[in-house]
Amino acid sequence: MIKFPPRDQYTGRPRDYSKDLHELSADASGHKFCPRFSNVLAIGLDSVSADFTGWTGRTYSSVDAVKDVRNDPDVDEAERRIYFIEFKNRTFKDLNTQGTACAISSALKKEEPIAQELRKKAFDSLLLSGATIFMTEAIDNIAWKAEFIVVYNDRKFKPSESRAVEKFDTDIGALGMAGKDSYGVEVRWGLNELKRRRVFRSVHTWSIEEFNYYAPSFLR
């Protein structure tokens, strides 16, 4: 039976997968874009995935970070969730053309379309976390408390500083493919399907400015 976390071969202590969110926002070139959360620690799920692949031989397409605030007394009850966060250091326009003939580079054209990539990461990340960091919990209990967040590097939208951060009890139009999330922000790339299928409790697709504005209420 696989034991998690494994022990470090040098120290003999359980391996620590924690990093701050700014570090976890780094792309393949090492560029980061989330300095607002440089003091917020989360589990680097890509590192967990790499170790788990070494044990099982199966490759998982994981999100960048997992943050569990279910037992955090400083977070409002409505936001005490498990947050699965995927950072995409690209603009909304580039993500929309990813994997298509309209992409700005040949490398981007060869990639998987963004909707397919994110669905795969969502499903795999939930399964991977259930087999590792939340291995003592039933997968449906994890899904019931899980929220999926995609953060892209686009600053064209900036919420009004006078607008209060308010989370609704339910997503707006979330039972369909389109609609808005529980903060009133449009969910992109048809990802509300993840909520409709009850894979995640809620789904959010936020620009970095939206993430900077909404996330401090639950990421501390």
Side-chain angles (χ1 to χ4, degrees), residues 74-186:
D74 294 326
V75 176
D76 185 78
E77 179 68 30
E79 295 184 309
R80 291 181 189 174
R81 306 279 188 252
I82 308 168
Y83 294 94
F84 289 74
I85 307 168
E86 172 66 10
F87 293 103
K88 303 300 295 183
N89 193 10
R90 290 174 179 166
T91 65
F92 178 69
K93 179 180 179 180
D94 284 349
L95 289 174
N96 271 347
T97 60
Q98 178 179 312
T100 73
C102 299
I104 61 173
S105 69
S106 58
L108 198 59
K109 290 177 183 178
K110 294 177 182 178
E111 291 191 22
E112 193 173 22
I114 189 61
Q116 295 178 27
E117 177 189 340
L118 293 175
R119 282 185 180 85
K120 183 183 297 183
K121 283 180 178 286
F123 279 100
D124 276 12
S125 296
L126 190 63
L127 293 173
L128 176 65
S129 67
T132 54
I133 55 181
F134 303 124
M135 64 189 308
T136 61
E137 300 184 49
I139 196 72
D140 55 341
N141 288 339
I142 300 170
W144 176 241
K145 287 290 188 176
E147 300 200 15
F148 184 59
I149 303 175
V150 180
V151 184
Y152 55 94
N153 196 2
D154 204 327
R155 300 177 184 275
K156 65 181 180 180
F157 176 86
K158 187 174 183 179
S160 169
E161 294 299 327
S162 63
R163 178 182 174 185
V165 175
E166 181 180 7
K167 185 175 184 179
F168 303 99
D169 288 337
T170 58
D171 291 4
I172 305 168
L175 294 181
M177 294 288 288
K180 297 182 179 180
D181 68 12
S182 47
Y183 295 89
V185 181
E186 183 179 353

Side-chain angles (χ1 to χ4, degrees), residues 9-92:
Q9 62 177 326
Y10 300 108
T11 67
R13 298 175 181 175
R15 190 169 302 174
D16 185 5
Y17 292 96
S18 298
K19 286 186 178 180
D20 68 59
L21 287 176
H22 185 44
E23 290 292 325
L24 292 172
S25 73
D27 60 18
S29 300
H31 297 114
K32 311 164 199 171
F33 70 106
C34 194
R36 170 69 176 77
F37 295 90
S38 60
N39 62 338
V40 177
L41 293 177
I43 294 173
L45 200 61
D46 284 339
S47 296
V48 174
S49 178
D51 280 348
F52 199 67
T53 294
W55 302 327
T56 65
R58 176 181 170 180
T59 301
Y60 286 83
S61 181
S62 54
V63 298
D64 295 304
V66 176
K67 178 72 171 178
D68 186 357
V69 299
R70 287 175 293 176
N71 298 313
D72 191 334
D74 294 326
V75 176
D76 185 78
E77 179 68 30
E79 295 184 309
R80 291 181 189 174
R81 306 279 188 252
I82 308 168
Y83 294 94
F84 289 74
I85 307 168
E86 172 66 10
F87 293 103
K88 303 300 295 183
N89 193 10
R90 290 174 179 166
T91 65
F92 178 69

